[in-house]
Amino acid sequence: MRDFSQQEMAERNYIFDTIKSVFRTFGYAQIETPSMENLSTLLGKYGDEGDKLLFRVLNSGDPFTGVDFGAFRSEDGVYNAPLLSKQLCDKGLRYDLTVPFARYVVQHQNEISFPFKRFQIQPVWRADRPQKGRYREFYQCDVDVIGSRSQLNELELVQIVDAVFGKLGIRVALKINNRKVLTGLAEICGAPDKVVDITVAIDKLDKIGLEAVLAEIREKGLSDSAIAVVEQILALSGSVTEKLVAMRSLFGGASASGIVSETGLRGLDELEELFGLISAAGVSVPVEMDLSLARGLNYYTGAIFEVKALDWEIGSISGGGRYDNLTGIFGLPDMSGVGISFGADRIYDVLKGLDKFPAGLRSTTTLLFANMGAEEVRYVLPVAAALRSRGISVEIYPESSKLKKQFDHCDRKSIPFLSICGADEAAAGTVQIKNLASGEQRVFAKDDLDGIVCFLGK
Amino acid sequence: MRDFSQQEMAERNYIFDTIKSVFRTFGYAQIETPSMENLSTLLGKYGDEGDKLLFRVLNSGDPFTGVDFGAFRSEDGVYNAPLLSKQLCDKGLRYDLTVPFARYVVQHQNEISFPFKRFQIQPVWRADRPQKGRYREFYQCDVDVIGSRSQLNELELVQIVDAVFGKLGIRVALKINNRKVLTGLAEICGAPDKVVDITVAIDKLDKIGLEAVLAEIREKGLSDSAIAVVEQILALSGSVTEKLVAMRSLFGGASASGIVSETGLRGLDELEELFGLISAAGVSVPVEMDLSLARGLNYYTGAIFEVKALDWEIGSISGGGRYDNLTGIFGLPDMSGVGISFGADRIYDVLKGLDKFPAGLRSTTTLLFANMGAEEVRYVLPVAAALRSRGISVEIYPESSKLKKQFDHCDRKSIPFLSICGADEAAAGTVQIKNLASGEQRVFAKDDLDGIVCFLGK
């Protein structure tokens, strides 16, 4: 886990503030949920691997007395860690923002006005083995709308991606797929239960080539006609519209298997509507339809999104999709939602790598008053206070150290203006200020705040 | 632990943003530390009671196999919970921001430029019994400067308190004491080891009266001459300057005991300097010297601060002090620091109670475009996009529901402007917008963004 220095916080806040400002222009508002949730809320939501990665919080007081430890121990002395830890821990740390959001929506359904547009920016914790670019504590920035099936919501997420990365100055490509199309593909292959196998294989096309993809699908037990269907799909080319027309024909019964997929056709309807909306709204980011995009296969039910940086190799920096049944597990059925998550750490790495952070994020203080002694400090105190009340960041060096040391302080903190007011200035009622970059030096009457503020460029 | 709704987050962000903006005008910059620290960092820093309130995080994987549970069990079947949990947990959740800050300063001492001015706003966790106004997860807002003994730092904290509560519109009183003065008082009582007993008793003066205070001190085993000294101190009255003069005489040997306290005199020097600086700088908040103020007796070594709201009964809403040896426990001696912590939850309660939150915090969306059908939506999409790119918060209702339902959405979300663009507007190339509060309705050419922005009051 990481400390964040003042420099890093300035950079991270720049990312968060940019993302938040975009979310807000689309009418999304922030919520927060507690760091700890009941383990019963978290367990079983992220697969077996996820359950292992949950941080569990030991019950407070004495959680041990009364527990029959022997009952959790096998003959060879190994404990059943999942069961025993359930005994000792009622709470776990948030693993993502989606499950707490679902719990929130169900719990507060009577206070919420639907469609409910919320964003949430909080840390999550995973007991992963730490490695480069993967942390045990990291922030997620999630934006979701729940309670509406309209593709206008998908469009908004596309526009949000466009605006966020436009503002950050990161060139990205946005890939879109639809889970129903993947289902349809498996259906017209005659293997509706093999949707994951087929998709995972197709996803490798660029890396391993057509023959290897088909071989992998064959290995998974698909028939020759199924393989012929996959070949037909992979051979599709042309514009989004052309691909949609061709897919519609295949899902309509024209594929090698002759099978019709109603689900697949509904997925194509959704994609067609979304791409139509995207072109009506006009976005800058290149948007591709990518039939091999396969994230979140276990929970997404409609659109699937993924964003990649074009100029920096790092995997996806944002992703999301539509889930028709997120709140069902907590007892509120038929709540369709769609959302997208921004990976703050990866976005940070891209901005650092491309040197795209704006200049001047670091400088927090505009003006340093040198400390020339107790009397001189008392003279500048009201001037400093007046400037601060105008929102200007001002420091007075706390010790009457040698000027060299006070200069160094400006340098290390990148403070652009220095004022040295000694007995002469105090006697004359003036304030002398130097622009350390240009060397320009000016003298102001001590109550000429407008003049000083103007010289400071504020 | 609590969920925070969109309304509550708007109010909480208003508090945090106000506090941050003030911190920044004094040149303080933000850091963050991880939610989990090594238990070895946390244990023993908050007293026995604090150790019990630490949340411990179970080691991941299998923390049980190989542990000899029997060794932690007494004959009557009770486990030694502190020792056994140390075996199972290496990490604990942050209990405050001060100890992680001390650890941070020591760990990063070579990257930090001193005096180091940092603020930190993060949640902390305590396994307290939940009760009204006390939570297991709550935010602290800490501002500290470390590496300077100058009283100018204390002054800045006073100015920060003044500015924060001034901006928030909460009338407060700031009480100041000095730990060295309390030490001096115990010394001239001839009972240097009884500083806590004496101070705790004095602190009750208002509640229980002079006789009861003196009786309590007598019970603690103080001599008659000590009690006479306490009486002399409690009889002091007048201005800060008058009190300081009288105290100086008592600490100089003129008390009933005749004992001189060098430490006490140094404390008076510090108070005198600080009050001199406060009057030179000019602050609005009433600042009292309160010799009975006794928070943080175990760690503060100089100034002690406490802020109380004048118009709302809630205990202290901010407090802090100077600690000369905070980083010593982590191996970096002689680092003096001074800081103050703002209690966001109590400040929230005061603002709620006094109804002092500014109006309009809740409204997140400025304009809703009603959804009059697929074609009409496509017509307004570029207008909405253009307004958003000017920073205006715009929603398009996602479903083409009945207008009544869309009106209700404006109402529930306090959206002040509604645009209904149907086929007529699309044909004419216009946009119609209604101010829902005043009823005023205007029609704009769809590319007259300046006109629209102006009508929206942005």
Side-chain angles (χ1 to χ4, degrees):
Chain A
M1 302 198 194
R2 297 163 291 168
D3 286 325
F4 295 112
S5 70
Q6 297 185 332
Q7 170 71 24
E8 287 162 334
M9 281 306 296
E11 291 161 346
R12 289 171 64 84
N13 283 335
Y14 164 71
I15 296 172
F16 293 134
D17 291 346
T18 302
I19 291 176
K20 282 184 210 172
S21 73
V22 170
F23 289 169
R24 292 202 172 104
T25 61
F26 287 81
Y28 290 81
Q30 190 170 15
I31 68 162
E32 283 190 359
T33 63
S35 301
M36 291 180 220
E37 295 275 351
N38 289 328
L39 272 171
S40 58
T41 302
L42 301 175
L43 284 168
K45 308 304 187 300
Y46 307 108
D48 290 347
E49 201 45 42
D51 283 355
K52 281 186 202 151
L53 298 183
L54 287 172
F55 278 112
R56 290 157 165 84
V57 179
L58 200 64
N59 293 343
S60 50
D62 172 6
F64 306 112
T65 299
V67 174
D68 177 6
F69 287 94
F72 298 92
R73 197 175 166 201
S74 71
E75 279 178 18
D76 49 355
V78 174
Y79 283 89
N80 184 326
L83 279 185
L84 180 48
S85 48
K86 250 180 157 169
Q87 198 75 28
L88 301 175
C89 306
D90 294 336
K91 303 269 185 191
L93 294 179
R94 196 164 51 215
Y95 179 90
D96 73 357
L97 302 178
T98 306
V99 167
F101 174 54
R103 195 265 311 144
Y104 179 97
V105 168
V106 175
Q107 191 173 329
H108 301 279
Q109 56 186 287
N110 296 323
E111 306 141 38
I112 290 174
S113 156
F114 294 98
F116 181 52
K117 300 172 95 169
R118 87 87 173 77
F119 74 86
Q120 192 168 353
I121 299 183
Q122 291 190 275
V124 302
W125 296 270
R126 297 183 185 176
D128 252 326
R129 196 176 300 275
Q131 57 188 78
K132 191 175 153 33
R134 181 163 296 185
Y135 307 99
R136 299 188 131 198
E137 173 175 52
F138 59 97
Y139 273 75
Q140 288 193 334
C141 309
D142 278 22
V143 61
D144 292 79
V145 51
I146 193 161
S148 162
R149 293 177 190 276
S150 162
Q151 291 292 311
L152 278 168
N153 301 298
E154 273 82 349
L155 168 67
E156 274 193 5
L157 298 181
V158 170
Q159 292 178 302
I160 284 172
V161 165
D162 190 36
V164 164
F165 293 107
K167 283 188 180 225
L168 292 175
I170 299 178
R171 293 200 319 130
V172 297
L174 171 60
K175 292 180 175 187
I176 299 182
N177 197 6
N178 190 297
R179 180 62 165 79
K180 295 187 183 78
V181 170
L182 294 174
T183 303
L185 176 54
E187 285 179 5
I188 64 170
C189 284
D193 56 326
K194 292 274 193 328
V195 58
V196 173
D197 289 338
I198 296 172
T199 315
V200 165
I202 291 179
D203 191 30
K204 297 179 188 165
L205 182 65
D206 284 349
K207 281 182 212 142
I208 62 176
L210 179 64
E211 285 311 313
V213 167
L214 298 180
E216 184 170 326
I217 292 172
R218 192 183 315 264
E219 248 171 52
K220 297 289 181 186
L222 269 79
S223 66
D224 285 348
S225 84
I227 290 160
V229 170
V230 171
E231 264 200 275
Q232 286 184 297
I233 298 279
L234 294 183
L236 294 177
S237 64
S239 68
V240 168
T241 312
E242 286 162 350
K243 277 189 193 166
L244 284 170
V245 168
M247 295 282 289
R248 201 174 283 284
S249 150
L250 294 173
F251 284 170
S255 77
S257 71
I259 299 170
V260 172
S261 168
E262 293 298 340
T263 303
L265 288 168
R266 282 209 309 282
L268 294 178
D269 289 345
E270 291 178 7
L271 281 175
E272 187 172 1
E273 187 180 355
L274 176 53
F275 275 91
L277 288 168
I278 291 170
S279 82
V283 300
S284 308
V285 64
V287 185
E288 293 166 43
M289 187 169 82
D290 181 347
L291 299 177
S292 71
L293 177 60
R295 64 187 285 151
L297 288 183
N298 296 323
Y299 39 93
Y300 292 140
T301 53
I304 306 174
F305 300 109
E306 189 167 85
V307 180
K308 293 210 168 177
L310 292 177
D311 305 318
W312 195 257
E313 200 70 51
I314 198 162
S316 80
I317 56 178
S318 181
R322 177 173 285 274
Y323 36 86
D324 275 343
N325 219 346
L326 185 72
T327 58
I329 37 170
F330 297 121
L332 183 65
D334 293 326
M335 263 297 170
S336 188
V338 59
I340 196 160
S341 182
F342 289 82
D345 290 297
R346 288 190 171 178
I347 293 172
Y348 183 91
D349 290 345
V350 174
L351 287 169
K352 258 296 184 232
L354 296 175
D355 197 17
K356 290 271 193 183
F357 279 112
L361 281 182
R362 185 173 161 217
S363 164
T364 55
T365 302
T366 302
L367 170 64
L368 177 77
F369 282 102
N371 188 324
M372 308 300 289
E375 276 315 305
E376 290 82 351
V377 161
R378 285 174 192 231
Y379 172 70
V380 299
L381 276 173
V383 186
L387 290 171
R388 286 176 184 136
S389 73
R390 293 195 174 204
I392 293 171
S393 175
V394 176
E395 287 188 52
I396 299 174
Y397 198 79
E399 320 276 349
S400 56
S401 313
K402 287 191 177 147
L403 265 181
K404 167 79 172 69
K405 193 170 174 188
Q406 303 193 39
F407 261 115
D408 285 351
H409 182 78
C410 284
D411 202 36
R412 285 192 311 265
K413 289 192 74 169
S414 305
I415 299 174
F417 292 91
L418 175 67
S419 173
I420 302 178
C421 293
D424 292 350
E425 281 79 8
T430 58
V431 172
Q432 176 262 92
I433 302 177
K434 185 171 184 174
N435 178 329
L436 293 175
S438 71
E440 187 187 0
Q441 191 162 313
R442 291 268 301 275
V443 176
F444 300 90
K446 75 173 172 171
D447 50 6
D448 178 14
L449 292 176
D450 290 338
I452 296 173
V453 169
C454 179
F455 185 61
L456 298 175
K458 298 286 162 178
Chain B
M1 302 199 195
R2 300 163 290 169
D3 287 325
F4 294 112
S5 70
Q6 296 184 331
Q7 170 71 27
E8 287 162 335
M9 281 305 297
E11 291 162 346
R12 289 171 64 84
N13 283 335
Y14 164 72
I15 295 172
F16 293 133
D17 290 345
T18 301
I19 291 176
K20 282 186 214 175
S21 74
V22 171
F23 289 169
R24 291 203 173 104
T25 62
F26 287 81
Y28 290 81
Q30 192 171 15
I31 68 161
E32 283 189 0
T33 62
S35 301
M36 291 179 219
E37 295 276 351
N38 289 328
L39 273 171
S40 58
T41 301
L42 301 175
L43 284 167
K45 309 302 188 300
Y46 307 107
D48 290 347
E49 202 45 43
D51 282 355
K52 280 187 203 150
L53 298 183
L54 287 173
F55 278 111
R56 291 158 165 84
V57 178
L58 199 64
N59 293 343
S60 50
D62 172 6
F64 307 112
T65 299
V67 174
D68 177 6
F69 287 94
F72 297 93
R73 197 175 164 198
S74 72
E75 278 178 19
D76 48 354
V78 174
Y79 284 89
N80 183 326
L83 279 185
L84 180 50
S85 50
K86 251 181 159 168
Q87 198 74 29
L88 302 175
C89 307
D90 294 335
K91 304 269 184 191
L93 294 180
R94 197 166 47 217
Y95 178 91
D96 74 356
L97 302 179
T98 306
V99 167
F101 174 54
R103 195 263 312 143
Y104 180 96
V105 168
V106 175
Q107 189 172 329
H108 300 279
Q109 56 185 288
N110 296 321
E111 306 140 39
I112 291 173
S113 157
F114 295 99
F116 181 53
K117 302 173 95 171
R118 88 86 173 77
F119 74 85
Q120 191 169 353
I121 300 183
Q122 292 190 275
V124 302
W125 296 270
R126 297 182 185 177
D128 251 326
R129 198 175 299 275
Q131 58 189 79
K132 192 174 153 33
R134 182 163 295 186
Y135 306 99
R136 300 188 128 197
E137 172 176 52
F138 60 98
Y139 273 74
Q140 289 194 334
C141 309
D142 278 23
V143 61
D144 292 80
V145 53
I146 192 160
S148 161
R149 293 177 190 276
S150 163
Q151 291 292 313
L152 277 169
N153 301 298
E154 274 81 350
L155 169 66
E156 273 194 6
L157 299 181
V158 171
Q159 293 178 299
I160 285 172
V161 164
D162 190 36
V164 164
F165 293 108
K167 283 186 181 228
L168 292 176
I170 300 178
R171 293 200 319 130
V172 297
L174 171 61
K175 292 181 175 187
I176 299 183
N177 197 5
N178 190 297
R179 179 62 167 80
K180 295 187 182 79
V181 171
L182 294 174
T183 303
L185 175 54
E187 284 180 6
I188 64 171
C189 285
D193 55 326
K194 292 271 191 336
V195 58
V196 173
D197 289 337
I198 297 171
T199 314
V200 166
I202 291 180
D203 190 31
K204 297 180 187 162
L205 182 64
D206 284 348
K207 282 182 213 142
I208 63 177
L210 180 64
E211 286 311 312
V213 168
L214 298 180
E216 184 171 326
I217 292 172
R218 192 182 314 266
E219 246 170 53
K220 297 289 178 184
L222 268 78
S223 67
D224 285 347
S225 82
I227 289 159
V229 170
V230 172
E231 264 200 276
Q232 287 184 295
I233 298 279
L234 294 183
L236 293 179
S237 63
S239 68
V240 169
T241 313
E242 286 162 351
K243 278 190 193 166
L244 284 171
V245 168
M247 295 283 288
R248 201 174 284 284
S249 147
L250 295 173
F251 284 169
S255 77
S257 71
I259 299 171
V260 173
S261 169
E262 294 297 340
T263 303
L265 289 168
R266 281 211 310 282
L268 294 177
D269 289 343
E270 291 178 7
L271 281 174
E272 188 173 3
E273 186 180 354
L274 177 53
F275 275 91
L277 288 169
I278 291 169
S279 81
V283 300
S284 309
V285 64
V287 185
E288 292 168 40
M289 187 169 80
D290 181 347
L291 298 176
S292 71
L293 176 61
R295 64 188 285 150
L297 288 183
N298 295 323
Y299 39 94
Y300 291 140
T301 54
I304 305 174
F305 301 110
E306 188 166 85
V307 180
K308 294 210 169 177
L310 292 177
D311 304 317
W312 195 256
E313 200 71 50
I314 197 161
S316 80
I317 55 177
S318 180
R322 177 172 287 274
Y323 36 86
D324 276 342
N325 219 347
L326 185 72
T327 58
I329 37 169
F330 298 121
L332 182 66
D334 293 327
M335 263 297 170
S336 188
V338 58
I340 196 160
S341 182
F342 289 82
D345 289 297
R346 287 192 171 177
I347 293 172
Y348 183 93
D349 289 344
V350 173
L351 287 170
K352 258 297 181 231
L354 297 175
D355 197 16
K356 289 271 193 182
F357 279 112
L361 280 183
R362 184 172 163 220
S363 165
T364 55
T365 301
T366 302
L367 171 64
L368 177 78
F369 283 102
N371 188 326
M372 308 299 289
E375 275 316 303
E376 290 82 351
V377 161
R378 285 175 192 230
Y379 171 71
V380 299
L381 276 175
V383 185
L387 289 171
R388 286 176 185 138
S389 73
R390 293 194 173 204
I392 293 170
S393 175
V394 176
E395 286 187 55
I396 300 174
Y397 198 77
E399 320 276 349
S400 55
S401 314
K402 286 188 177 150
L403 265 181
K404 167 78 171 71
K405 192 170 176 189
Q406 303 191 41
F407 261 114
D408 285 351
H409 182 78
C410 283
D411 202 35
R412 285 193 309 267
K413 288 192 75 168
S414 306
I415 299 174
F417 292 91
L418 174 67
S419 174
I420 301 179
C421 294
D424 292 350
E425 282 78 9
T430 59
V431 173
Q432 176 260 93
I433 302 178
K434 184 171 185 174
N435 179 329
L436 293 174
S438 70
E440 186 187 1
Q441 190 161 313
R442 290 269 301 277
V443 177
F444 299 90
K446 76 172 176 194
D447 50 6
D448 178 14
L449 292 176
D450 289 339
I452 296 173
V453 168
C454 179
F455 184 60
L456 298 175
K458 297 288 165 177

